[in-house]
Amino acid sequence: MSSAARKRLVTALLLAPAAVWLFLFLVLPFIAIVVFSLGERAPAGGYQPALTLAQYANLPARAAAFWNTLVLAPAGALACLLIAYPVAYYLALKVLPQRRLLLVALIIIPFWTSLLIRTYAWMYILGGRGIPAFLELVGLPDLRLINTPGAVLLGIVYGYLPLMILPIYISLERLDRRLLEASADLGATPFSTFFSVTLRLSLPGMMTGFSLVLILLLGEYLIPTLLGGGKVFFIGNALVDLFLQSRNWPFGSAIAVALVGIAVVLLLAANRITARLSGARQVDLL
Amino acid sequence: MMRAFVTAVYGFLYLPIGLVVLFSFNAGRHASDFTGFSVQWYGRALSNTFLMEALTNSLIVATTSAALASLCGTAAALGLGRAGPRTRAVFDALFGAAIVVPGVVIGIATLVALVQLFGIVNPALAALWPGDAPPRLSLGYGSIIAAHGLFSTALVTMIVRARLGALGRDMVEASSDLYASPFTTFRSIVLPQILPAILAGFLLAFTFSFDDFIVAFFVAGSQTTLPMYVFASIRRGVTPEINAIGALVLVASILLVITAQLLLRRRRPASA
């Protein structure tokens, strides 16, 4: 065997396990839900082969779930962005380098810590025996916090804030400080330096964070379930219902395909906006 | 002012975690009445056989999927370093999708595909099997491990590739100039340098799998993982027993993540 052929063989063997995994558990499942979404519900639940767009035509039946998700997910992502930016700015530009590592690690830790337990903590805090019980002591009775859209929004910000801070921090940390000095030397006020240099150069990080958080939020299930208490329904709740309870798999598949479609459109739009505004690509997380 | 804001954000991130730990030691049942220090809820949690079974399941699934992902992910990272641009673009797109696609979609798609696959494979196995009791494939450990392994393989590949990119080429070239075989160069030059990244990848993959609820919810079949058990208990009502197990889970994941960060920190400061 020639050395070039041998080299190619080794490369192929190294990639083979991951390729099999990606094919069996990503590509094939995705083809399966597209096929299912074109089928019909079997009388006893499940799937019956067909070739129809009826499931997609039926999407408005779950309009409430789409509406809630498409309002609360962008609102939550925007709230995350507004809170995350000052934190990322502070970490990247205002903190002494020797303290920075610890402070960044403290942002990474909650991101990898059970979202279920962290969301549950808020059930405890917002629930009848949490904050409302304390407020009653100071004379504010009958305040309802849990099972409201506000509680879901709070849970979203709490759960996804770290994921928004990290990419913005990375883009600000890589920023060439000399540009800021140059801007100041040329007579720009700190205010205009921030808007025309800092903000602009950190735009790729902001867009990465925003699109990542938004896409993950589109599929969120735990937060609306635990903090919305069945009153605030997301697409994720509709999917759990259709797959695990009412067993209408073709309709559920159509919703899942629609969700992925929305995510792809958002991602393309975010890329386009970033390219137009800053001429740079998005930041890779890591 | 900015400092006060940032401090408040850190408080916001850690206060709820602190409260779960604090109330896990509450002698009373409710947040509004802290009636004294007690470890009784830990005792209750540890003697709950359902909970311990779910914990065992989670440990099995997380260890297996993280180990498989570390092997596949490291091999893929090494392979992508040698592959052509077109192969790399395809893998980049698929790994990106594995990370970005929400868990609920991954769970559903895997469920749908596996149920169809079993529908074809099981009758075939039954027809071909020589004995009386042919094996039947079904949802369970295997399907959770496979679905978690997808995200985890993408994760390990990403982490190991970042480390490979920072690896000095000169050492590798010096090694081959001195007539070391490619395998020897790999074992004595490359592997020691990427080992911390592989270990960090393993720990983060373990943490992901151990904490995941939504993917397992769809593909677990009749198995129950720890997050599934906790979720079901929460829906039945908030109890201090959940605080105890929650505190243990939080502390375990925090320790794992800190270890992973320390492994990643050497020579590559301040980036996630």
Side-chain angles (χ1 to χ4, degrees), chain A residues 3 21 24 35 39 52 59 68 96-97 134 145 155 177 202 225 230 241 269 286:
Chain A
S3 98
W21 213 309
L24 278 182
V35 170
T52 163
L59 284 181
N68 281 336
L96 295 174
F134 288 101
L145 295 175
R177 312 291 149 94
S202 58
T225 306
D241 171 46
L286 221 129

mmCIF file of all heavy atoms in Angstrom, chain A residues 3 21 24 35 39 52 59 68 96-97 134 145 155 177 202 225 230 241 269 286:
data_model
loop_
_atom_site.group_PDB
_atom_site.id
_atom_site.type_symbol
_atom_site.label_atom_id
_atom_site.label_comp_id
_atom_site.label_asym_id
_atom_site.label_seq_id
_atom_site.Cartn_x
_atom_site.Cartn_y
_atom_site.Cartn_z
ATOM 1 N N SER A 3 2.073 5.106 0.698
ATOM 2 C CA SER A 3 1.971 5.806 1.985
ATOM 3 C C SER A 3 0.791 6.773 1.991
ATOM 4 O O SER A 3 0.158 6.981 3.015
ATOM 5 C CB SER A 3 3.289 6.508 2.299
ATOM 6 O OG SER A 3 3.228 7.860 1.948
ATOM 7 N N TRP A 21 -21.935 7.218 14.425
ATOM 8 C CA TRP A 21 -22.782 7.789 15.470
ATOM 9 C C TRP A 21 -23.639 8.937 14.926
ATOM 10 O O TRP A 21 -24.841 9.008 15.148
ATOM 11 C CB TRP A 21 -21.907 8.305 16.615
ATOM 12 C CG TRP A 21 -22.567 8.169 17.942
ATOM 13 C CD1 TRP A 21 -23.825 8.588 18.271
ATOM 14 C CD2 TRP A 21 -22.040 7.551 19.108
ATOM 15 N NE1 TRP A 21 -24.093 8.284 19.579
ATOM 16 C CE2 TRP A 21 -23.022 7.648 20.114
ATOM 17 C CE3 TRP A 21 -20.817 6.939 19.416
ATOM 18 C CZ2 TRP A 21 -22.811 7.150 21.400
ATOM 19 C CZ3 TRP A 21 -20.624 6.458 20.679
ATOM 20 C CH2 TRP A 21 -21.608 6.545 21.662
ATOM 21 N N LEU A 24 -26.307 7.405 12.539
ATOM 22 C CA LEU A 24 -27.388 6.635 13.175
ATOM 23 C C LEU A 24 -28.248 7.471 14.115
ATOM 24 O O LEU A 24 -29.455 7.257 14.210
ATOM 25 C CB LEU A 24 -26.796 5.472 13.983
ATOM 26 C CG LEU A 24 -26.426 4.216 13.213
ATOM 27 C CD1 LEU A 24 -25.899 3.165 14.178
ATOM 28 C CD2 LEU A 24 -27.639 3.669 12.468
ATOM 29 N N VAL A 35 -40.074 12.113 7.459
ATOM 30 C CA VAL A 35 -40.984 11.114 6.864
ATOM 31 C C VAL A 35 -42.270 11.018 7.688
ATOM 32 O O VAL A 35 -43.381 11.038 7.154
ATOM 33 C CB VAL A 35 -40.288 9.736 6.781
ATOM 34 C CG1 VAL A 35 -41.286 8.658 6.394
ATOM 35 C CG2 VAL A 35 -39.135 9.790 5.787
ATOM 36 N N GLY A 39 -46.838 11.708 7.286
ATOM 37 C CA GLY A 39 -47.738 10.561 7.435
ATOM 38 C C GLY A 39 -49.033 10.916 8.148
ATOM 39 O O GLY A 39 -49.380 12.085 8.309
ATOM 40 N N THR A 52 -48.825 13.230 2.878
ATOM 41 C CA THR A 52 -49.772 14.330 2.950
ATOM 42 C C THR A 52 -49.171 15.496 3.725
ATOM 43 O O THR A 52 -48.297 15.293 4.577
ATOM 44 C CB THR A 52 -51.075 13.879 3.658
ATOM 45 O OG1 THR A 52 -51.786 15.032 4.059
ATOM 46 C CG2 THR A 52 -50.783 13.041 4.894
ATOM 47 N N LEU A 59 -50.893 22.786 11.863
ATOM 48 C CA LEU A 59 -50.035 23.480 12.844
ATOM 49 C C LEU A 59 -50.767 24.570 13.637
ATOM 50 O O LEU A 59 -50.511 24.722 14.830
ATOM 51 C CB LEU A 59 -48.805 24.080 12.152
ATOM 52 C CG LEU A 59 -47.687 23.108 11.764
ATOM 53 C CD1 LEU A 59 -46.541 23.860 11.103
ATOM 54 C CD2 LEU A 59 -47.169 22.339 12.966
ATOM 55 N N ASN A 68 -46.632 31.562 22.496
ATOM 56 C CA ASN A 68 -45.918 31.730 23.766
ATOM 57 C C ASN A 68 -44.414 31.640 23.569
ATOM 58 O O ASN A 68 -43.649 32.435 24.104
ATOM 59 C CB ASN A 68 -46.332 30.647 24.765
ATOM 60 C CG ASN A 68 -47.669 30.955 25.406
ATOM 61 O OD1 ASN A 68 -48.061 32.116 25.467
ATOM 62 N ND2 ASN A 68 -48.358 29.931 25.855
ATOM 63 N N LEU A 96 -8.760 42.612 37.249
ATOM 64 C CA LEU A 96 -7.354 42.236 37.219
ATOM 65 C C LEU A 96 -7.222 40.807 36.701
ATOM 66 O O LEU A 96 -8.008 39.944 37.081
ATOM 67 C CB LEU A 96 -6.757 42.315 38.638
ATOM 68 C CG LEU A 96 -6.697 43.710 39.256
ATOM 69 C CD1 LEU A 96 -6.233 43.616 40.702
ATOM 70 C CD2 LEU A 96 -5.761 44.597 38.443
ATOM 71 N N PRO A 97 -6.217 40.565 35.839
ATOM 72 C CA PRO A 97 -6.100 39.237 35.220
ATOM 73 C C PRO A 97 -6.075 38.087 36.231
ATOM 74 O O PRO A 97 -6.646 37.034 35.978
ATOM 75 C CB PRO A 97 -4.776 39.324 34.466
ATOM 76 C CG PRO A 97 -4.579 40.773 34.199
ATOM 77 C CD PRO A 97 -5.220 41.502 35.334
ATOM 78 N N PHE A 134 -43.123 35.724 52.679
ATOM 79 C CA PHE A 134 -42.404 36.801 53.357
ATOM 80 C C PHE A 134 -43.073 38.151 53.104
ATOM 81 O O PHE A 134 -43.129 38.993 53.978
ATOM 82 C CB PHE A 134 -40.942 36.837 52.892
ATOM 83 C CG PHE A 134 -40.152 35.687 53.426
ATOM 84 C CD1 PHE A 134 -39.870 34.589 52.627
ATOM 85 C CD2 PHE A 134 -39.714 35.683 54.747
ATOM 86 C CE1 PHE A 134 -39.170 33.520 53.130
ATOM 87 C CE2 PHE A 134 -39.004 34.610 55.261
ATOM 88 C CZ PHE A 134 -38.734 33.514 54.444
ATOM 89 N N LEU A 145 -46.722 34.702 42.275
ATOM 90 C CA LEU A 145 -45.533 34.844 41.434
ATOM 91 C C LEU A 145 -45.354 33.636 40.521
ATOM 92 O O LEU A 145 -45.085 33.764 39.332
ATOM 93 C CB LEU A 145 -44.291 35.012 42.309
ATOM 94 C CG LEU A 145 -44.231 36.271 43.158
ATOM 95 C CD1 LEU A 145 -43.012 36.254 44.060
ATOM 96 C CD2 LEU A 145 -44.192 37.504 42.265
ATOM 97 N N GLY A 155 -37.057 32.432 35.020
ATOM 98 C CA GLY A 155 -36.361 31.141 34.938
ATOM 99 C C GLY A 155 -35.470 31.067 33.711
ATOM 100 O O GLY A 155 -34.363 30.528 33.754
ATOM 101 N N ARG A 177 -6.717 46.030 22.631
ATOM 102 C CA ARG A 177 -6.851 47.218 23.494
ATOM 103 C C ARG A 177 -6.306 48.472 22.811
ATOM 104 O O ARG A 177 -6.702 49.583 23.125
ATOM 105 C CB ARG A 177 -6.109 47.044 24.819
ATOM 106 C CG ARG A 177 -6.360 45.752 25.539
ATOM 107 C CD ARG A 177 -7.778 45.690 26.062
ATOM 108 N NE ARG A 177 -8.214 44.301 26.078
ATOM 109 C CZ ARG A 177 -8.130 43.519 27.133
ATOM 110 N NH1 ARG A 177 -7.676 43.979 28.248
ATOM 111 N NH2 ARG A 177 -8.524 42.269 27.066
ATOM 112 N N SER A 202 -17.590 43.637 19.443
ATOM 113 C CA SER A 202 -18.105 42.511 20.231
ATOM 114 C C SER A 202 -19.416 41.993 19.650
ATOM 115 O O SER A 202 -20.020 41.067 20.190
ATOM 116 C CB SER A 202 -18.296 42.923 21.695
ATOM 117 O OG SER A 202 -19.181 44.015 21.781
ATOM 118 N N THR A 225 -42.643 24.258 32.181
ATOM 119 C CA THR A 225 -43.412 23.257 32.904
ATOM 120 C C THR A 225 -43.362 23.513 34.408
ATOM 121 O O THR A 225 -44.387 23.472 35.089
ATOM 122 C CB THR A 225 -42.862 21.848 32.612
ATOM 123 O OG1 THR A 225 -42.842 21.676 31.197
ATOM 124 C CG2 THR A 225 -43.726 20.780 33.242
ATOM 125 N N GLY A 230 -48.318 24.654 33.735
ATOM 126 C CA GLY A 230 -49.412 24.267 32.852
ATOM 127 C C GLY A 230 -50.194 25.454 32.320
ATOM 128 O O GLY A 230 -51.087 25.298 31.504
ATOM 129 N N ASP A 241 -46.538 16.393 24.991
ATOM 130 C CA ASP A 241 -47.919 15.944 24.981
ATOM 131 C C ASP A 241 -48.191 15.027 23.785
ATOM 132 O O ASP A 241 -48.732 13.932 23.932
ATOM 133 C CB ASP A 241 -48.848 17.170 24.943
ATOM 134 C CG ASP A 241 -50.294 16.775 24.714
ATOM 135 O OD1 ASP A 241 -50.734 15.829 25.391
ATOM 136 O OD2 ASP A 241 -50.957 17.383 23.860
ATOM 137 N N ALA A 269 -30.272 34.223 9.566
ATOM 138 C CA ALA A 269 -30.492 35.663 9.710
ATOM 139 C C ALA A 269 -29.421 36.267 10.614
ATOM 140 O O ALA A 269 -28.859 37.330 10.305
ATOM 141 C CB ALA A 269 -31.879 35.932 10.281
ATOM 142 N N LEU A 286 -15.696 28.185 22.690
ATOM 143 C CA LEU A 286 -14.572 27.352 23.095
ATOM 144 C C LEU A 286 -13.277 27.825 22.493
ATOM 145 O O LEU A 286 -13.168 27.965 21.295
ATOM 146 C CB LEU A 286 -14.732 25.875 22.713
ATOM 147 C CG LEU A 286 -14.257 24.990 23.847
ATOM 148 C CD1 LEU A 286 -15.325 23.979 24.159
ATOM 149 C CD2 LEU A 286 -12.983 24.276 23.464
#
